[in-house]
Amino acid sequence: MAKLPFTNDIRTLRFLAGEMTQGDLGDRVGVTRQTIAAIEQGKYSPSLEVAFRIALVFGKPLEAVFQWETGSD
Amino acid sequence: MTFREKIHWVAFVTMLLAFGWYFLAFPWSIAASPSALWTAGGMLIPLTLGIIVAMTVATVILAIRNRKEVHLAEDERDRAIHWRGTHLAYYPMVVGTWACIGLIFTGAAPAILLNLLLAMVVGSELLRIGSQIWLYRRH
């Protein structure tokens, strides 16, 4: 599987949001805990809608949650 | 392992065992004779019932043991995995269909055609379910 060209800070943001669990975040976003885990580990590229929903849960702009890796195409 | 993955494993193993037995036990020496079609039918009816019973029982047991996950709706990752698995399974289905069309013109016996169709469907299903299991692990 090709490595995704972006990273994310979901794990840190969950910790800062009162140690929110992957399951809690998944419930609020409308996806399963496994999907949050896959996104967090960079194994799954979420849709734009889910990415925005995740950012909304943390009250952050999208680029504060997902960062394009410098040097990626 | 999630409930969905377990259900996929049950389907994969059940199909592999059931149709593995069928293709090994089928009397290939009489495959070209007219009676082979009825032999195949006689084997496939209990086999199909067995698959339905085995999968129903396994699903009920898994559902009881994974009650929290039973009613979880599919999300976009599940749908993406299902789509990719189904897409992969399309290829053996097309190859098998063309092989059957070719065999029809050679005057192949009905039991041979039946078994080729069956192999095509089973192969496609195993590829679909197997790839979905693999994708659940990887993605």
Side-chain angles (χ1 to χ4, degrees):
Chain A
M1 183 189 65
K3 188 178 180 294
L4 296 182
F6 55 87
T7 57
N8 69 78
D9 284 329
I10 296 173
R11 196 184 182 114
T12 307
L13 290 165
R14 281 197 300 109
F15 179 78
L16 294 174
E19 300 191 13
M20 182 189 292
T21 65
Q22 291 176 336
D24 291 339
L25 179 58
D27 288 343
R28 293 178 67 175
V29 171
V31 297
T32 61
R33 183 193 67 75
Q34 288 76 21
T35 297
I36 295 294
I39 295 169
E40 219 174 85
Q41 293 163 25
K43 289 180 174 179
Y44 173 67
S45 175
S47 66
L48 198 55
E49 181 185 342
V50 167
F52 268 111
R53 286 185 187 280
I54 291 171
L56 274 173
V57 168
F58 295 122
K60 302 275 186 188
L62 195 62
E63 59 271 26
V65 182
F66 296 95
Q67 298 85 36
W68 191 261
E69 283 202 312
T70 312
S72 296
D73 291 332
Chain B
M1 195 185 291
T2 65
F3 176 67
R4 279 187 211 288
E5 280 182 77
K6 288 174 187 170
I7 293 294
H8 276 73
W9 271 112
V10 166
F12 186 82
V13 172
T14 307
M15 285 198 73
L16 194 64
L17 290 177
F19 286 101
W21 168 80
Y22 170 82
F23 285 113
L24 287 174
F26 184 78
W28 293 101
S29 57
I30 61 154
S33 70
S35 64
L37 193 63
W38 296 104
T39 305
M43 290 172 75
L44 286 171
I45 291 169
L47 183 84
T48 307
L49 291 174
I51 290 173
I52 292 168
V53 170
M55 287 188 64
T56 305
V57 170
T59 303
V60 168
I61 292 170
L62 287 174
I64 291 168
R65 294 179 66 171
N66 299 269
R67 286 184 190 184
K68 283 183 185 172
E69 293 182 58
V70 172
H71 298 296
L72 275 182
E74 266 192 352
D75 67 10
E76 62 172 40
R77 177 172 157 268
D78 294 316
R79 285 192 290 275
I81 288 171
H82 290 176
W83 180 85
R84 288 182 70 178
T86 306
H87 177 80
L88 278 174
Y90 168 81
Y91 296 104
M93 195 72 95
V94 169
V95 171
T97 302
W98 281 107
C100 276
I101 290 169
L103 274 181
I104 287 169
F105 284 102
T106 67
I112 301 281
L113 288 173
L114 172 74
N115 281 318
L116 181 62
L117 283 169
L118 202 57
M120 174 182 85
V121 172
V122 172
S124 298
E125 275 295 278
L126 288 175
L127 181 63
R128 180 183 68 82
I129 301 166
S131 63
Q132 286 169 351
I133 289 170
W134 182 78
L135 287 166
Y136 266 117
R137 287 283 100 187
R138 294 275 297 195
H139 292 264

